[in-house]
Amino acid sequence: MSPSPFGRVTVLGLGVLGAQIALQTAAHGVEVTAYDVDDAALQVGRGRLDAFAAAAAGEVAHPDAYRSAPGRIRLTADLADSVRKADLVIEAVPETLALKRDAWARVGAAAPEQTVFATNSSSLLPSAIADATGRPDRFLALHFANRIWRQNTAEIMGTPETDVAVADRVEVFAVAIGMVPIRLHREQAGYVLNSLLIPFLSAAAELLVKGVATPETIDTTWRVATGAPAGPFQIYDVVGLRTAYAIASANPQGAPWAAYLKEHYLDRGLLGVESGEGFYRYR
Ligand code: NAD
């Protein structure tokens, strides 16, 4: 494995994903600075780093690197200071276009000229943000998944303006921090993974809502016929039924599925793996 081409990485936002990105990067020997808006947010972020380090340590081959990683991450609530020496800035602030554009404009004004910028946005296209950075040729999307140490895809998606050499370096970085890089050749809402997964899960939901078959039957069909280890309702339980409900509610065509989930699962406290029961029971 090549060493990281970026020696100093700054992560913006120590939320659910930002904390995991900071942890994963630090656990692979890269110097990490993490920025959040104020001391209270940093304190919550510190708690997240510790919790994710403990969770990762129980699931990886080299747990000590994760246990010691939070102590090696520098925390700051000073944005300009956080990026002043950065080689790569990874942004994981809330999924609001105006907020992201504002954060990038401030980072663009403070970071060295050669610093590479990446957004972890799940649903915004990088071309909607690129001009705010002031350096669209050095800006792209680098999209990680929740539980980064295990679900270790890193989707790399530039805009038409992104320099290919920059995307190449980001790909080497992704491998250096233990990721499987997924390179996209053009912009696509939902990247590769969600472009496949969301229609698949929606089709399964439709079969259930229409009363065609039970979750067990639908999952068995998929597993036996394709050799896949899990069917769509097993995946729903892992994703969490609250998230499934939020996605369904945001789409007018998802209304029947949202209503079904609410009545049969959410209102009964059945949220999937996290609550011990969803479509299946977990110990
Ligand atoms: P989150 O709400 O858990 O965390 C956001 C963090 O950003 C918070 O700590 C908040 O204090 C901080 N913040 C708020 N305003 C800020 C600002 N102006 N500058 C810097 N930090 C600021 O959100 P999240 O779930 O970690 O999502 C962050 C990004 O990651 C989003 O773009 C989301 O689409 C993406 N993402 C999330 C997941 C997921 O499963 N949660 C998976 C992949 C990608």
Side-chain angles (χ1 to χ4, degrees), residues 34-70:
Y35 162 81
D36 213 307
V37 286
D38 55 28
D39 287 344
L42 286 176
Q43 199 162 338
V44 175
R46 167 63 72 199
R48 284 197 185 101
L49 287 171
D50 291 340
F52 287 135
E59 298 179 5
V60 298
H62 47 294
D64 287 344
Y66 285 84
R67 284 194 195 104
S68 60

Short mmCIF file of all heavy atoms in Angstrom, two decimals, residues 34-70:
data_model
loop_
_atom_site.label_atom_id
_atom_site.label_comp_id
_atom_site.label_asym_id
_atom_site.label_seq_id
_atom_site.Cartn_x
_atom_site.Cartn_y
_atom_site.Cartn_z
N ALA A 34 -9.37 18.42 13.49
CA ALA A 34 -10.83 18.42 13.29
C ALA A 34 -11.39 19.74 13.78
O ALA A 34 -11.05 20.22 14.87
CB ALA A 34 -11.47 17.25 14.03
N TYR A 35 -12.26 20.31 12.94
CA TYR A 35 -12.89 21.59 13.28
C TYR A 35 -14.37 21.37 13.54
O TYR A 35 -15.04 20.62 12.83
CB TYR A 35 -12.74 22.57 12.10
CG TYR A 35 -13.71 23.73 12.17
CD1 TYR A 35 -13.45 24.83 12.98
CD2 TYR A 35 -14.91 23.70 11.46
CE1 TYR A 35 -14.36 25.88 13.07
CE2 TYR A 35 -15.82 24.74 11.55
CZ TYR A 35 -15.54 25.83 12.35
OH TYR A 35 -16.43 26.85 12.45
N ASP A 36 -14.90 22.04 14.58
CA ASP A 36 -16.35 22.17 14.71
C ASP A 36 -16.65 23.56 15.23
O ASP A 36 -15.73 24.32 15.57
CB ASP A 36 -16.96 21.06 15.59
CG ASP A 36 -18.37 20.69 15.11
OD1 ASP A 36 -19.21 21.60 14.97
OD2 ASP A 36 -18.63 19.49 14.88
N VAL A 37 -17.93 23.94 15.26
CA VAL A 37 -18.29 25.35 15.37
C VAL A 37 -17.92 26.03 16.70
O VAL A 37 -17.63 27.21 16.72
CB VAL A 37 -19.79 25.58 15.09
CG1 VAL A 37 -20.06 25.44 13.60
CG2 VAL A 37 -20.67 24.61 15.88
N ASP A 38 -17.98 25.28 17.81
CA ASP A 38 -17.64 25.89 19.10
C ASP A 38 -17.19 24.79 20.07
O ASP A 38 -17.19 23.60 19.73
CB ASP A 38 -18.82 26.69 19.68
CG ASP A 38 -20.09 25.87 19.78
OD1 ASP A 38 -19.99 24.63 19.93
OD2 ASP A 38 -21.18 26.46 19.70
N ASP A 39 -16.83 25.22 21.29
CA ASP A 39 -16.28 24.25 22.25
C ASP A 39 -17.29 23.17 22.63
O ASP A 39 -16.93 22.01 22.84
CB ASP A 39 -15.80 24.98 23.51
CG ASP A 39 -14.51 25.76 23.23
OD1 ASP A 39 -13.88 25.48 22.19
OD2 ASP A 39 -14.16 26.64 24.03
N ALA A 40 -18.57 23.57 22.71
CA ALA A 40 -19.60 22.57 23.07
C ALA A 40 -19.68 21.50 21.99
O ALA A 40 -19.73 20.29 22.30
CB ALA A 40 -20.95 23.27 23.25
N ALA A 41 -19.66 21.91 20.71
CA ALA A 41 -19.72 20.94 19.61
C ALA A 41 -18.46 20.06 19.60
O ALA A 41 -18.53 18.86 19.34
CB ALA A 41 -19.87 21.66 18.27
N LEU A 42 -17.31 20.66 19.95
CA LEU A 42 -16.07 19.88 19.99
C LEU A 42 -16.12 18.83 21.10
O LEU A 42 -15.63 17.71 20.94
CB LEU A 42 -14.86 20.79 20.20
CG LEU A 42 -14.44 21.63 18.99
CD1 LEU A 42 -13.29 22.56 19.37
CD2 LEU A 42 -14.04 20.75 17.81
N GLN A 43 -16.75 19.21 22.21
CA GLN A 43 -16.84 18.26 23.32
C GLN A 43 -17.72 17.06 22.93
O GLN A 43 -17.38 15.92 23.21
CB GLN A 43 -17.42 18.95 24.55
CG GLN A 43 -17.13 18.18 25.80
CD GLN A 43 -17.31 19.05 27.04
OE1 GLN A 43 -17.26 20.28 26.95
NE2 GLN A 43 -17.54 18.43 28.17
N VAL A 44 -18.83 17.36 22.27
CA VAL A 44 -19.69 16.26 21.78
C VAL A 44 -18.90 15.42 20.78
O VAL A 44 -18.93 14.18 20.79
CB VAL A 44 -20.97 16.83 21.13
CG1 VAL A 44 -21.81 15.71 20.52
CG2 VAL A 44 -21.80 17.60 22.16
N GLY A 45 -18.15 16.11 19.92
CA GLY A 45 -17.35 15.41 18.92
C GLY A 45 -16.29 14.52 19.56
O GLY A 45 -16.05 13.40 19.09
N ARG A 46 -15.68 15.00 20.64
CA ARG A 46 -14.68 14.19 21.36
C ARG A 46 -15.33 12.90 21.88
O ARG A 46 -14.75 11.81 21.78
CB ARG A 46 -14.10 15.02 22.51
CG ARG A 46 -13.30 14.29 23.53
CD ARG A 46 -12.05 13.65 22.99
NE ARG A 46 -11.00 14.60 22.65
CZ ARG A 46 -9.97 14.31 21.83
NH1 ARG A 46 -9.86 13.12 21.29
NH2 ARG A 46 -9.05 15.21 21.56
N GLY A 47 -16.54 13.02 22.40
CA GLY A 47 -17.27 11.84 22.87
C GLY A 47 -17.53 10.86 21.72
O GLY A 47 -17.39 9.64 21.88
N ARG A 48 -17.86 11.41 20.54
CA ARG A 48 -18.11 10.54 19.38
C ARG A 48 -16.83 9.82 18.97
O ARG A 48 -16.85 8.63 18.67
CB ARG A 48 -18.57 11.37 18.19
CG ARG A 48 -20.00 11.81 18.28
CD ARG A 48 -20.51 12.26 16.89
NE ARG A 48 -21.84 12.77 17.05
CZ ARG A 48 -22.14 14.07 17.09
NH1 ARG A 48 -21.21 14.98 16.92
NH2 ARG A 48 -23.38 14.45 17.27
N LEU A 49 -15.72 10.55 18.98
CA LEU A 49 -14.44 9.92 18.60
C LEU A 49 -14.16 8.73 19.51
O LEU A 49 -13.77 7.65 19.04
CB LEU A 49 -13.30 10.93 18.70
CG LEU A 49 -13.23 12.01 17.63
CD1 LEU A 49 -12.18 13.05 18.00
CD2 LEU A 49 -12.90 11.40 16.26
N ASP A 50 -14.34 8.94 20.82
CA ASP A 50 -14.06 7.86 21.77
C ASP A 50 -15.01 6.67 21.55
O ASP A 50 -14.59 5.51 21.58
CB ASP A 50 -14.18 8.38 23.21
CG ASP A 50 -13.06 9.37 23.54
OD1 ASP A 50 -12.03 9.35 22.84
OD2 ASP A 50 -13.22 10.16 24.49
N ALA A 51 -16.29 6.98 21.33
CA ALA A 51 -17.27 5.91 21.15
C ALA A 51 -16.99 5.12 19.87
O ALA A 51 -17.03 3.89 19.86
CB ALA A 51 -18.68 6.49 21.12
N PHE A 52 -16.67 5.85 18.78
CA PHE A 52 -16.39 5.15 17.52
C PHE A 52 -15.08 4.36 17.61
O PHE A 52 -14.96 3.28 17.04
CB PHE A 52 -16.33 6.14 16.35
CG PHE A 52 -17.67 6.68 15.94
CD1 PHE A 52 -17.84 8.04 15.68
CD2 PHE A 52 -18.77 5.85 15.79
CE1 PHE A 52 -19.07 8.55 15.30
CE2 PHE A 52 -20.01 6.35 15.41
CZ PHE A 52 -20.16 7.70 15.17
N ALA A 53 -14.10 4.91 18.35
CA ALA A 53 -12.83 4.19 18.51
C ALA A 53 -13.07 2.86 19.23
O ALA A 53 -12.52 1.82 18.83
CB ALA A 53 -11.83 5.05 19.29
N ALA A 54 -13.91 2.90 20.27
CA ALA A 54 -14.21 1.67 21.01
C ALA A 54 -14.96 0.68 20.12
O ALA A 54 -14.66 -0.52 20.11
CB ALA A 54 -15.03 2.00 22.26
N ALA A 55 -15.92 1.19 19.33
CA ALA A 55 -16.69 0.30 18.44
C ALA A 55 -15.78 -0.32 17.39
O ALA A 55 -15.82 -1.53 17.13
CB ALA A 55 -17.82 1.07 17.78
N ALA A 56 -14.93 0.51 16.79
CA ALA A 56 -14.04 0.01 15.73
C ALA A 56 -13.06 -1.00 16.30
O ALA A 56 -12.80 -2.04 15.67
CB ALA A 56 -13.29 1.18 15.07
N ALA A 57 -12.51 -0.70 17.49
CA ALA A 57 -11.50 -1.59 18.08
C ALA A 57 -12.04 -3.01 18.26
O ALA A 57 -11.28 -3.98 18.19
CB ALA A 57 -11.01 -1.02 19.41
N GLY A 58 -13.35 -3.12 18.47
CA GLY A 58 -13.95 -4.44 18.63
C GLY A 58 -14.15 -5.17 17.31
O GLY A 58 -14.52 -6.35 17.31
N GLU A 59 -13.91 -4.49 16.20
CA GLU A 59 -14.27 -5.08 14.90
C GLU A 59 -13.13 -5.13 13.89
O GLU A 59 -13.34 -5.53 12.76
CB GLU A 59 -15.43 -4.28 14.29
CG GLU A 59 -16.69 -4.30 15.12
CD GLU A 59 -17.82 -3.47 14.50
OE1 GLU A 59 -17.65 -2.95 13.39
OE2 GLU A 59 -18.87 -3.37 15.15
N VAL A 60 -11.95 -4.63 14.26
CA VAL A 60 -10.86 -4.57 13.27
C VAL A 60 -9.67 -5.43 13.69
O VAL A 60 -9.59 -5.86 14.85
CB VAL A 60 -10.36 -3.11 13.07
CG1 VAL A 60 -11.46 -2.22 12.53
CG2 VAL A 60 -9.79 -2.56 14.37
N ALA A 61 -8.76 -5.66 12.73
CA ALA A 61 -7.60 -6.51 13.00
C ALA A 61 -6.53 -5.79 13.83
O ALA A 61 -5.73 -6.43 14.49
CB ALA A 61 -7.01 -6.99 11.68
N HIS A 62 -6.47 -4.45 13.77
CA HIS A 62 -5.44 -3.70 14.49
C HIS A 62 -6.10 -2.68 15.43
O HIS A 62 -6.07 -1.47 15.18
CB HIS A 62 -4.45 -3.04 13.53
CG HIS A 62 -5.11 -2.30 12.41
ND1 HIS A 62 -5.84 -2.92 11.43
CD2 HIS A 62 -5.16 -0.97 12.10
CE1 HIS A 62 -6.30 -2.02 10.59
NE2 HIS A 62 -5.91 -0.83 10.98
N PRO A 63 -6.71 -3.18 16.53
CA PRO A 63 -7.51 -2.31 17.40
C PRO A 63 -6.72 -1.19 18.08
O PRO A 63 -7.26 -0.11 18.31
CB PRO A 63 -8.10 -3.26 18.45
CG PRO A 63 -7.26 -4.49 18.38
CD PRO A 63 -6.74 -4.58 17.00
N ASP A 64 -5.43 -1.41 18.36
CA ASP A 64 -4.68 -0.38 19.10
C ASP A 64 -4.58 0.93 18.32
O ASP A 64 -4.59 2.01 18.90
CB ASP A 64 -3.27 -0.89 19.46
CG ASP A 64 -3.35 -1.92 20.58
OD1 ASP A 64 -4.43 -1.98 21.24
OD2 ASP A 64 -2.38 -2.65 20.76
N ALA A 65 -4.50 0.80 16.99
CA ALA A 65 -4.40 2.02 16.17
C ALA A 65 -5.66 2.87 16.34
O ALA A 65 -5.59 4.11 16.33
CB ALA A 65 -4.21 1.64 14.70
N TYR A 66 -6.81 2.22 16.50
CA TYR A 66 -8.07 2.96 16.69
C TYR A 66 -8.17 3.48 18.12
O TYR A 66 -8.62 4.60 18.35
CB TYR A 66 -9.27 2.06 16.34
CG TYR A 66 -9.42 1.88 14.85
CD1 TYR A 66 -8.69 0.90 14.18
CD2 TYR A 66 -10.26 2.70 14.11
CE1 TYR A 66 -8.80 0.74 12.80
CE2 TYR A 66 -10.38 2.54 12.73
CZ TYR A 66 -9.65 1.57 12.08
OH TYR A 66 -9.75 1.42 10.72
N ARG A 67 -7.77 2.65 19.09
CA ARG A 67 -7.87 3.10 20.49
C ARG A 67 -7.05 4.36 20.74
O ARG A 67 -7.45 5.24 21.48
CB ARG A 67 -7.38 1.98 21.44
CG ARG A 67 -8.38 0.87 21.60
CD ARG A 67 -8.02 -0.03 22.78
NE ARG A 67 -8.80 -1.25 22.68
CZ ARG A 67 -8.32 -2.42 22.27
NH1 ARG A 67 -7.04 -2.56 21.99
NH2 ARG A 67 -9.11 -3.47 22.18
N SER A 68 -5.88 4.43 20.09
CA SER A 68 -5.00 5.57 20.36
C SER A 68 -5.29 6.77 19.45
O SER A 68 -4.80 7.87 19.68
CB SER A 68 -3.53 5.15 20.17
OG SER A 68 -3.33 4.71 18.84
N ALA A 69 -6.11 6.56 18.42
CA ALA A 69 -6.31 7.62 17.41
C ALA A 69 -6.95 8.90 17.98
O ALA A 69 -6.48 10.01 17.67
CB ALA A 69 -7.12 7.09 16.23
N PRO A 70 -8.01 8.81 18.83
CA PRO A 70 -8.62 10.07 19.29
C PRO A 70 -7.62 11.01 19.95
O PRO A 70 -7.68 12.23 19.77
CB PRO A 70 -9.69 9.59 20.28
CG PRO A 70 -10.06 8.24 19.79
CD PRO A 70 -8.76 7.64 19.29
#
